[in-house]
Coordinates of all heavy atoms in Angstrom, one line a residue:
P1 N 0.8 -1.2 0.0 CA 0.0 0.0 0.0 C 0.8 1.3 0.0 O 0.4 2.3 0.6 CB -0.8 -0.1 1.3 CG 0.0 -1.0 2.2 CD 0.8 -1.9 1.3
N2 N 2.0 1.3 -0.6 CA 2.9 2.4 -0.5 C 3.3 3.0 -1.8 O 3.5 2.3 -2.7 CB 4.2 2.0 0.2 CG 4.1 1.9 1.7 OD1 3.5 2.8 2.3 ND2 4.5 0.8 2.2
P3 N 3.5 4.3 -1.9 CA 2.8 5.3 -1.1 C 1.3 5.3 -1.5 O 1.0 4.8 -2.6 CB 3.5 6.6 -1.3 CG 4.1 6.4 -2.7 CD 4.4 4.9 -2.9
F4 N 0.5 6.0 -0.8 CA -0.9 6.0 -1.1 C -1.5 7.4 -0.9 O -0.9 8.2 -0.2 CB -1.8 5.0 -0.4 CG -2.0 5.3 1.1 CD1 -3.1 6.0 1.5 CD2 -1.0 5.0 2.0 CE1 -3.3 6.2 2.9 CE2 -1.2 5.2 3.4 CZ -2.3 5.9 3.8
N5 N -2.5 7.8 -1.6 CA -3.2 9.1 -1.6 C -4.6 9.0 -2.2 O -4.7 8.7 -3.4 CB -2.4 10.1 -2.3 CG -3.1 11.5 -2.3 OD1 -4.0 11.7 -1.5 ND2 -2.7 12.3 -3.2
P6 N -5.6 9.1 -1.5 CA -5.8 9.2 0.0 C -6.3 7.9 0.5 O -6.6 7.8 1.7 CB -6.8 10.3 0.1 CG -7.7 10.1 -1.0 CD -6.8 9.6 -2.1
V7 N -6.4 6.8 -0.3 CA -7.0 5.6 0.1 C -6.0 4.4 -0.1 O -5.3 4.4 -1.1 CB -8.3 5.3 -0.7 CG1 -8.9 3.9 -0.4 CG2 -9.3 6.4 -0.5
T8 N -6.0 3.5 0.8 CA -5.2 2.3 0.6 C -5.9 1.0 1.0 O -6.9 1.1 1.9 CB -3.8 2.4 1.4 OG1 -3.0 1.3 1.0 CG2 -4.1 2.3 2.9
R9 N -5.6 -0.1 0.5 CA -6.2 -1.3 0.8 C -5.2 -2.3 1.4 O -4.1 -2.4 0.9 CB -6.8 -2.0 -0.4 CG -7.5 -3.3 -0.1 CD -8.0 -4.1 -1.3 NE -8.9 -3.2 -2.0 CZ -9.5 -3.5 -3.1 NH1 -9.3 -4.6 -3.7 NH2 -10.3 -2.6 -3.7
I10 N -5.5 -2.8 2.6 CA -4.7 -3.8 3.3 C -5.3 -5.1 3.1 O -6.4 -5.4 3.5 CB -4.6 -3.4 4.8 CG1 -4.0 -2.0 4.9 CG2 -3.7 -4.4 5.5 CD1 -4.1 -1.4 6.3
E11 N -4.5 -6.1 2.6 CA -4.9 -7.4 2.3 C -4.2 -8.4 3.3 O -3.0 -8.2 3.6 CB -4.7 -7.8 0.9 CG -5.4 -6.9 -0.1 CD -5.2 -7.2 -1.6 OE1 -4.2 -7.9 -1.8 OE2 -5.9 -6.7 -2.4
Y12 N -4.9 -9.4 3.7 CA -4.4 -10.4 4.6 C -5.1 -11.7 4.5 O -6.2 -11.7 4.0 CB -4.3 -9.9 6.1 CG -5.7 -9.5 6.6 CD1 -6.4 -10.4 7.4 CD2 -6.3 -8.3 6.4 CE1 -7.6 -10.1 7.9 CE2 -7.5 -7.9 6.9 CZ -8.2 -8.9 7.7 OH -9.4 -8.5 8.2
G13 N -4.4 -12.8 4.9 CA -5.1 -14.1 4.9 C -5.0 -14.7 6.2 O -4.0 -14.6 7.0
L14 N -6.1 -15.5 6.6 CA -6.2 -16.2 7.8 C -6.2 -17.7 7.6 O -7.1 -18.1 6.9 CB -7.4 -15.7 8.6 CG -7.5 -14.3 9.0 CD1 -8.9 -14.0 9.5 CD2 -6.4 -13.9 10.0
P15 N -5.3 -18.4 8.1 CA -5.3 -19.9 7.9 C -6.4 -20.6 8.7 O -6.9 -21.6 8.3 CB -3.9 -20.3 8.3 CG -3.4 -19.3 9.2 CD -4.1 -18.0 8.8
V16 N -6.8 -20.0 9.8 CA -7.8 -20.5 10.7 C -8.6 -19.4 11.2 O -8.2 -18.2 11.2 CB -7.2 -21.4 11.8 CG1 -6.4 -22.6 11.3 CG2 -6.3 -20.5 12.7
T17 N -9.8 -19.7 11.7 CA -10.7 -18.7 12.3 C -9.9 -18.1 13.5 O -9.4 -18.9 14.3 CB -12.0 -19.3 12.8 OG1 -12.7 -19.8 11.6 CG2 -12.9 -18.3 13.5
S18 N -9.9 -16.8 13.6 CA -9.1 -16.1 14.6 C -9.7 -14.8 15.1 O -10.5 -14.2 14.4 CB -7.7 -15.8 14.1 OG -7.0 -16.9 13.6
Q19 N -9.3 -14.4 16.3 CA -9.6 -13.1 16.8 C -8.6 -12.2 16.0 O -7.4 -12.4 16.1 CB -9.4 -13.0 18.3 CG -9.5 -11.6 18.8 CD -10.9 -11.0 18.8 OE1 -11.9 -11.8 18.9 NE2 -11.1 -9.7 18.7
V20 N -9.1 -11.2 15.3 CA -8.2 -10.3 14.5 C -8.4 -8.9 15.0 O -9.5 -8.4 15.2 CB -8.6 -10.4 13.0 CG1 -7.8 -9.4 12.2 CG2 -8.5 -11.8 12.5
K21 N -7.3 -8.2 15.1 CA -7.3 -6.7 15.4 C -6.3 -6.1 14.4 O -5.1 -6.5 14.3 CB -6.9 -6.4 16.8 CG -7.0 -4.9 17.1 CD -6.8 -4.6 18.6 CE -7.0 -3.1 18.8 NZ -6.9 -2.8 20.2
L22 N -6.7 -5.1 13.7 CA -5.9 -4.4 12.7 C -6.1 -2.9 13.0 O -7.2 -2.3 12.9 CB -6.3 -4.7 11.3 CG -5.3 -4.2 10.2 CD1 -5.5 -5.1 9.0 CD2 -5.4 -2.8 9.8
S23 N -5.0 -2.3 13.5 CA -5.0 -0.9 13.8 C -3.9 -0.1 13.1 O -2.9 -0.6 12.7 CB -4.8 -0.7 15.3 OG -5.8 -1.4 16.1
I24 N -4.2 1.2 12.9 CA -3.2 2.1 12.3 C -2.6 3.0 13.4 O -3.4 3.5 14.3 CB -3.9 3.0 11.3 CG1 -4.7 2.2 10.3 CG2 -2.9 4.0 10.6 CD1 -3.9 1.4 9.3
Y25 N -1.3 3.2 13.4 CA -0.6 4.1 14.3 C 0.2 5.1 13.6 O 0.7 4.9 12.5 CB 0.3 3.2 15.2 CG -0.4 2.2 16.1 CD1 -0.8 1.0 15.6 CD2 -0.8 2.6 17.4 CE1 -1.4 0.1 16.4 CE2 -1.4 1.7 18.2 CZ -1.8 0.4 17.7 OH -2.5 -0.5 18.5
D26 N 0.4 6.3 14.3 CA 1.2 7.3 13.7 C 2.7 7.1 14.2 O 3.0 6.1 14.9 CB 0.7 8.7 14.1 CG 0.8 9.1 15.6 OD1 1.4 8.3 16.3 OD2 0.1 10.1 16.0
L27 N 3.6 8.0 13.8 CA 5.0 7.8 14.1 C 5.3 7.9 15.6 O 6.3 7.4 16.1 CB 5.8 8.9 13.4 CG 6.3 8.6 12.0 CD1 7.0 9.8 11.4 CD2 7.2 7.4 12.0
L28 N 4.4 8.6 16.4 CA 4.6 8.7 17.8 C 4.0 7.5 18.6 O 4.0 7.4 19.8 CB 4.0 10.0 18.3 CG 4.6 11.2 17.8 CD1 3.9 12.5 18.3 CD2 6.1 11.3 18.1
G29 N 3.5 6.5 17.8 CA 2.9 5.3 18.5 C 1.5 5.5 18.9 O 0.9 4.6 19.6
R30 N 0.8 6.6 18.6 CA -0.6 6.9 19.0 C -1.5 6.1 18.0 O -1.3 6.2 16.8 CB -0.9 8.3 18.9 CG -0.1 9.1 19.9 CD -0.4 10.6 19.8 NE 0.1 11.1 18.5 CZ 0.3 12.3 18.2 NH1 0.2 13.3 19.1 NH2 0.7 12.7 17.0
E31 N -2.5 5.5 18.5 CA -3.4 4.8 17.7 C -4.3 5.8 16.9 O -4.9 6.7 17.5 CB -4.3 3.8 18.5 CG -5.3 3.0 17.6 CD -6.1 2.0 18.4 OE1 -5.5 1.0 18.9 OE2 -7.3 2.3 18.6
V32 N -4.3 5.7 15.6 CA -5.1 6.6 14.8 C -6.5 6.0 14.6 O -7.5 6.8 14.8 CB -4.5 6.8 13.4 CG1 -5.3 7.6 12.5 CG2 -3.1 7.4 13.5
I33 N -6.6 4.7 14.3 CA -7.9 4.1 14.1 C -7.8 2.6 14.2 O -6.7 2.1 13.9 CB -8.6 4.5 12.8 CG1 -10.1 4.1 12.7 CG2 -7.8 4.0 11.6 CD1 -10.8 4.7 11.5
T34 N -8.8 1.9 14.6 CA -8.8 0.4 14.5 C -9.8 0.1 13.4 O -11.0 0.5 13.5 CB -9.3 -0.2 15.9 OG1 -8.3 0.1 16.9 CG2 -9.4 -1.7 15.8
L35 N -9.3 -0.6 12.4 CA -10.2 -1.0 11.3 C -10.9 -2.3 11.5 O -12.0 -2.5 10.9 CB -9.3 -1.1 10.0 CG -8.6 0.3 9.6 CD1 -7.7 0.0 8.5 CD2 -9.6 1.3 9.3
V36 N -10.3 -3.3 12.2 CA -10.8 -4.6 12.4 C -10.6 -4.9 13.9 O -9.5 -4.7 14.4 CB -10.2 -5.7 11.5 CG1 -10.8 -7.0 11.8 CG2 -10.3 -5.3 10.1
D37 N -11.7 -5.5 14.5 CA -11.5 -5.9 15.9 C -12.6 -6.9 16.2 O -13.7 -6.6 16.6 CB -11.6 -4.8 16.9 CG -11.2 -5.2 18.3 OD1 -10.7 -6.4 18.5 OD2 -11.3 -4.4 19.2
G38 N -12.3 -8.2 15.9 CA -13.4 -9.2 16.1 C -12.9 -10.6 15.5 O -11.8 -10.7 14.9
I39 N -13.8 -11.5 15.6 CA -13.5 -12.9 15.1 C -13.8 -12.9 13.7 O -14.8 -12.5 13.2 CB -14.3 -13.9 15.9 CG1 -13.8 -13.9 17.4 CG2 -14.1 -15.3 15.3 CD1 -14.6 -14.8 18.3
Q40 N -12.8 -13.5 12.9 CA -13.0 -13.7 11.4 C -12.7 -15.1 11.1 O -11.8 -15.7 11.6 CB -12.2 -12.7 10.6 CG -12.5 -11.3 10.8 CD -11.8 -10.4 9.9 OE1 -10.6 -10.7 9.5 NE2 -12.4 -9.2 9.5
E41 N -13.5 -15.6 10.1 CA -13.2 -17.0 9.7 C -12.0 -17.0 8.8 O -11.6 -16.0 8.2 CB -14.5 -17.5 8.9 CG -15.7 -17.7 9.9 CD -16.8 -18.3 9.2 OE1 -16.7 -18.9 8.1 OE2 -17.9 -18.3 9.7
A42 N -11.5 -18.2 8.6 CA -10.3 -18.4 7.7 C -10.6 -17.9 6.3 O -11.8 -18.0 5.8 CB -9.9 -19.9 7.7
G43 N -9.6 -17.4 5.6 CA -9.8 -17.0 4.3 C -9.0 -15.7 4.0 O -8.3 -15.1 4.9
Y44 N -9.1 -15.2 2.8 CA -8.4 -13.9 2.4 C -9.4 -12.8 2.7 O -10.6 -12.9 2.4 CB -8.0 -14.0 1.0 CG -6.8 -14.9 0.8 CD1 -7.0 -16.2 0.4 CD2 -5.5 -14.5 1.2 CE1 -6.0 -17.1 0.2 CE2 -4.5 -15.4 1.0 CZ -4.7 -16.7 0.6 OH -3.6 -17.6 0.5
R45 N -8.9 -11.7 3.2 CA -9.6 -10.5 3.5 C -8.9 -9.2 3.0 O -7.7 -9.2 2.8 CB -9.8 -10.3 5.0 CG -10.4 -11.4 5.7 CD -11.9 -11.4 5.7 NE -12.5 -12.4 6.5 CZ -12.8 -13.6 6.1 NH1 -12.5 -14.0 4.9 NH2 -13.3 -14.5 6.9
S46 N -9.7 -8.2 2.8 CA -9.0 -6.9 2.5 C -9.9 -5.8 3.2 O -11.1 -6.0 3.4 CB -8.9 -6.6 1.0 OG -10.2 -6.4 0.5
I47 N -9.2 -4.8 3.7 CA -9.9 -3.7 4.4 C -9.3 -2.4 3.8 O -8.1 -2.3 3.5 CB -9.6 -3.8 5.9 CG1 -10.5 -2.7 6.7 CG2 -8.2 -3.6 6.3 CD1 -11.9 -3.1 6.9
T48 N -10.2 -1.4 3.6 CA -9.8 -0.2 3.0 C -9.7 0.9 4.1 O -10.6 1.0 5.0 CB -10.8 0.3 2.0 OG1 -10.9 -0.8 1.0 CG2 -10.4 1.6 1.3
W49 N -8.6 1.6 4.1 CA -8.4 2.8 5.0 C -8.5 4.0 4.2 O -7.7 4.2 3.2 CB -7.1 2.7 5.7 CG -6.9 3.8 6.7 CD1 -7.8 4.4 7.6 CD2 -5.7 4.6 7.0 NE1 -7.3 5.4 8.3 CE2 -6.0 5.5 8.0 CE3 -4.4 4.5 6.5 CZ2 -5.0 6.4 8.4 CZ3 -3.5 5.4 6.9 CH2 -3.8 6.3 7.9
Y50 N -9.3 4.9 4.5 CA -9.6 6.2 3.8 C -8.8 7.3 4.4 O -9.1 8.5 4.1 CB -11.1 6.5 3.8 CG -11.8 5.5 3.0 CD1 -12.4 4.4 3.6 CD2 -12.0 5.6 1.6 CE1 -13.1 3.4 2.9 CE2 -12.7 4.6 0.9 CZ -13.2 3.5 1.5 OH -13.9 2.6 0.8
G51 N -7.7 7.1 5.1 CA -6.9 8.1 5.7 C -7.6 9.0 6.7 O -7.3 10.1 6.9
M52 N -8.5 8.3 7.5 CA -9.3 9.0 8.5 C -8.9 8.5 9.9 O -8.5 7.3 10.0 CB -10.8 8.8 8.3 CG -11.3 9.2 7.0 SD -11.4 11.0 6.9 CE -12.3 11.2 5.4
N53 N -9.1 9.3 10.9 CA -8.9 8.8 12.3 C -10.2 8.4 12.9 O -11.2 8.3 12.2 CB -8.2 10.0 13.1 CG -9.1 11.2 13.2 OD1 -10.3 11.2 13.0 ND2 -8.5 12.3 13.6
H54 N -10.2 8.1 14.2 CA -11.4 7.6 15.0 C -12.5 8.6 14.9 O -13.7 8.2 14.8 CB -11.0 7.4 16.5 CG -10.2 6.3 16.8 ND1 -10.6 5.0 16.6 CD2 -8.9 6.2 17.2 CE1 -9.7 4.1 17.0 NE2 -8.6 4.8 17.3
A55 N -12.2 9.9 14.8 CA -13.3 10.9 14.8 C -13.8 11.2 13.4 O -14.7 12.0 13.2 CB -12.7 12.2 15.4
G56 N -13.2 10.5 12.3 CA -13.7 10.7 11.0 C -13.0 11.9 10.3 O -13.4 12.3 9.2
S57 N -11.9 12.4 10.9 CA -11.2 13.5 10.3 C -10.0 13.0 9.5 O -9.4 11.9 9.9 CB -10.6 14.5 11.3 OG -11.7 15.0 12.1
G58 N -9.7 13.6 8.4 CA -8.5 13.2 7.6 C -7.2 13.4 8.4 O -7.1 14.4 9.1
V59 N -6.3 12.5 8.2 CA -5.0 12.6 8.9 C -4.0 13.3 7.9 O -4.2 13.4 6.7 CB -4.5 11.2 9.3 CG1 -5.4 10.6 10.3 CG2 -4.2 10.3 8.1
G60 N -2.9 13.8 8.5 CA -1.9 14.5 7.7 C -1.0 13.5 6.9 O -0.9 12.3 7.2
A61 N -0.3 14.1 6.0 CA 0.7 13.3 5.2 C 1.8 12.8 6.2 O 2.1 13.5 7.2 CB 1.3 14.1 4.1
G62 N 2.3 11.7 5.9 CA 3.4 11.2 6.7 C 3.5 9.7 6.7 O 2.7 9.0 6.0
M63 N 4.3 9.1 7.6 CA 4.4 7.7 7.7 C 3.5 7.2 8.8 O 3.4 7.8 9.9 CB 5.9 7.3 8.1 CG 6.1 5.8 8.1 SD 7.8 5.3 8.4 CE 8.7 6.2 7.1
Y64 N 2.9 6.1 8.5 CA 2.0 5.4 9.5 C 2.3 3.9 9.5 O 3.0 3.4 8.6 CB 0.5 5.6 9.0 CG 0.1 7.0 9.2 CD1 0.2 7.9 8.1 CD2 -0.5 7.5 10.3 CE1 -0.1 9.2 8.2 CE2 -0.9 8.8 10.5 CZ -0.7 9.7 9.4 OH -1.1 11.0 9.5
F65 N 1.9 3.2 10.5 CA 2.2 1.8 10.7 C 0.8 1.1 10.9 O 0.0 1.6 11.6 CB 3.1 1.5 11.9 CG 4.4 2.2 11.8 CD1 4.6 3.4 12.3 CD2 5.4 1.5 11.1 CE1 5.9 4.0 12.2 CE2 6.7 2.1 11.0 CZ 6.9 3.3 11.5
Y66 N 0.7 0.0 10.3 CA -0.5 -0.9 10.6 C 0.0 -2.1 11.3 O 1.1 -2.7 11.0 CB -1.4 -1.2 9.4 CG -0.9 -2.2 8.4 CD1 -1.1 -3.5 8.6 CD2 -0.3 -1.8 7.2 CE1 -0.7 -4.5 7.6 CE2 0.0 -2.7 6.3 CZ -0.1 -4.0 6.5 OH 0.3 -4.9 5.5
V67 N -0.7 -2.5 12.3 CA -0.4 -3.6 13.1 C -1.6 -4.6 13.0 O -2.7 -4.2 13.3 CB -0.2 -3.3 14.6 CG1 0.1 -4.5 15.4 CG2 0.9 -2.3 14.8
I68 N -1.3 -5.8 12.6 CA -2.3 -6.8 12.5 C -1.9 -7.9 13.5 O -0.8 -8.4 13.5 CB -2.5 -7.4 11.1 CG1 -3.7 -8.4 11.1 CG2 -1.2 -8.0 10.5 CD1 -4.2 -8.7 9.7
Q69 N -2.9 -8.3 14.3 CA -2.8 -9.4 15.2 C -3.9 -10.4 15.0 O -5.1 -10.0 14.9 CB -2.9 -8.9 16.7 CG -1.8 -8.0 17.1 CD -2.0 -7.4 18.5 OE1 -2.9 -6.5 18.6 NE2 -1.2 -7.8 19.4
A70 N -3.5 -11.7 14.8 CA -4.5 -12.7 14.6 C -4.0 -14.0 15.4 O -3.0 -14.6 15.0 CB -4.6 -13.1 13.1
G71 N -4.6 -14.3 16.5 CA -4.1 -15.4 17.3 C -2.8 -15.0 17.9 O -2.6 -13.9 18.4
D72 N -1.8 -15.9 17.7 CA -0.4 -15.6 18.1 C 0.4 -14.8 17.1 O 1.6 -14.5 17.4 CB 0.3 -17.0 18.4 CG -0.3 -17.7 19.6 OD1 -0.9 -17.0 20.5 OD2 -0.2 -18.9 19.6
F73 N -0.1 -14.6 16.0 CA 0.6 -13.9 14.9 C 0.4 -12.4 15.1 O -0.6 -11.9 15.4 CB 0.0 -14.3 13.5 CG 0.6 -13.5 12.4 CD1 1.8 -13.9 11.8 CD2 -0.1 -12.4 11.8 CE1 2.3 -13.2 10.8 CE2 0.4 -11.7 10.8 CZ 1.7 -12.2 10.2
R74 N 1.5 -11.7 14.9 CA 1.5 -10.2 14.9 C 2.5 -9.7 13.9 O 3.6 -10.2 13.8 CB 1.9 -9.7 16.3 CG 2.0 -8.2 16.4 CD 2.5 -7.8 17.8 NE 3.0 -6.5 17.9 CZ 2.3 -5.5 18.4 NH1 1.1 -5.7 18.8 NH2 2.8 -4.3 18.4
Q75 N 2.1 -8.7 13.1 CA 2.9 -8.1 12.1 C 2.7 -6.6 12.0 O 1.6 -6.1 12.2 CB 2.6 -8.7 10.7 CG 3.6 -8.3 9.6 CD 3.3 -9.0 8.3 OE1 2.1 -9.2 7.9 NE2 4.3 -9.5 7.7
V76 N 3.9 -5.9 11.8 CA 3.8 -4.5 11.7 C 4.4 -4.1 10.3 O 5.4 -4.6 9.9 CB 4.7 -3.8 12.8 CG1 4.7 -2.3 12.6 CG2 4.2 -4.2 14.1
K77 N 3.7 -3.2 9.6 CA 4.1 -2.8 8.3 C 4.0 -1.2 8.2 O 3.1 -0.7 8.8 CB 3.3 -3.4 7.1 CG 3.4 -4.9 7.0 CD 4.6 -5.2 6.2 CE 4.6 -6.7 5.9 NZ 5.6 -7.0 4.9
K78 N 4.8 -0.6 7.5 CA 4.7 0.9 7.4 C 4.0 1.2 6.1 O 4.1 0.5 5.1 CB 6.1 1.5 7.5 CG 7.0 1.2 6.3 CD 8.4 2.0 6.6 CE 9.3 1.6 5.4 NZ 10.6 2.3 5.6
M79 N 3.4 2.4 6.1 CA 2.7 3.0 5.0 C 3.0 4.5 4.9 O 3.2 5.1 6.0 CB 1.2 2.9 5.1 CG 0.7 1.5 5.4 SD -1.1 1.4 5.5 CE -1.3 2.3 7.1
V80 N 3.1 5.0 3.7 CA 3.4 6.4 3.5 C 2.2 7.1 2.9 O 1.8 6.7 1.8 CB 4.6 6.7 2.7 CG1 4.9 8.1 2.5 CG2 5.8 6.0 3.4
L81 N 1.6 8.1 3.5 CA 0.4 8.8 3.0 C 1.0 10.1 2.4 O 1.6 10.9 3.1 CB -0.5 9.2 4.1 CG -1.7 10.1 3.8 CD1 -2.5 9.6 2.6 CD2 -2.5 10.4 5.0
L82 N 0.8 10.3 1.1 CA 1.2 11.5 0.4 C 0.0 12.3 0.1 O -1.1 11.8 -0.2 CB 1.8 11.1 -1.0 CG 3.1 10.3 -0.9 CD1 3.6 10.0 -2.3 CD2 4.2 11.0 -0.1
K83 N 0.1 13.6 0.2 CA -1.0 14.5 -0.1 C -0.5 15.6 -1.1 O 0.6 15.9 -1.2 CB -1.6 15.1 1.1 CG -2.4 14.1 1.9 CD -3.2 14.8 3.0 CE -4.1 13.8 3.7 NZ -5.0 14.3 4.6

């Protein structure tokens, strides 16, 4: 999803049904928004982030990180929002 303006799609696959949490963080480690937080069945998924925070306001250009947790799996990836 790099770089993106103003929308990006995050794709992931689940080998088994899992509790999934996918959140976006800024460079200071502050949570910007949680896109997924719940149980999902096995399979491929995608979620779209429209560059908005929890309050529905657009975020500024810069580097962001998404963290996906599914069961014991955890992964962090960086994204760059250009405006």
Side-chain angles (χ1 to χ4, degrees):
N2 283 310
F4 70 97
N5 177 18
V7 176
T8 189
R9 181 183 303 178
I10 300 167
E11 298 177 346
Y12 58 96
L14 300 171
V16 296
T17 299
S18 302
Q19 173 71 30
V20 178
K21 183 171 184 181
L22 193 155
S23 298
I24 309 291
Y25 294 87
D26 66 14
L27 273 176
L28 298 176
R30 296 177 296 201
E31 185 176 285
V32 175
I33 192 168
T34 296
L35 300 174
V36 177
D37 190 7
I39 296 175
Q40 293 187 332
E41 293 187 17
Y44 289 98
R45 304 273 185 275
S46 69
I47 187 79
T48 302
W49 182 42
Y50 294 93
M52 303 286 189
N53 62 19
H54 287 292
S57 300
V59 298
M63 187 177 304
Y64 293 87
F65 299 91
Y66 73 84
V67 178
I68 184 167
Q69 296 174 286
D72 294 333
F73 176 82
R74 177 182 164 100
Q75 185 174 44
V76 179
K77 294 277 188 170
K78 68 180 177 179
M79 306 180 291
V80 177
L81 170 59
L82 298 177
K83 288 194 174 185

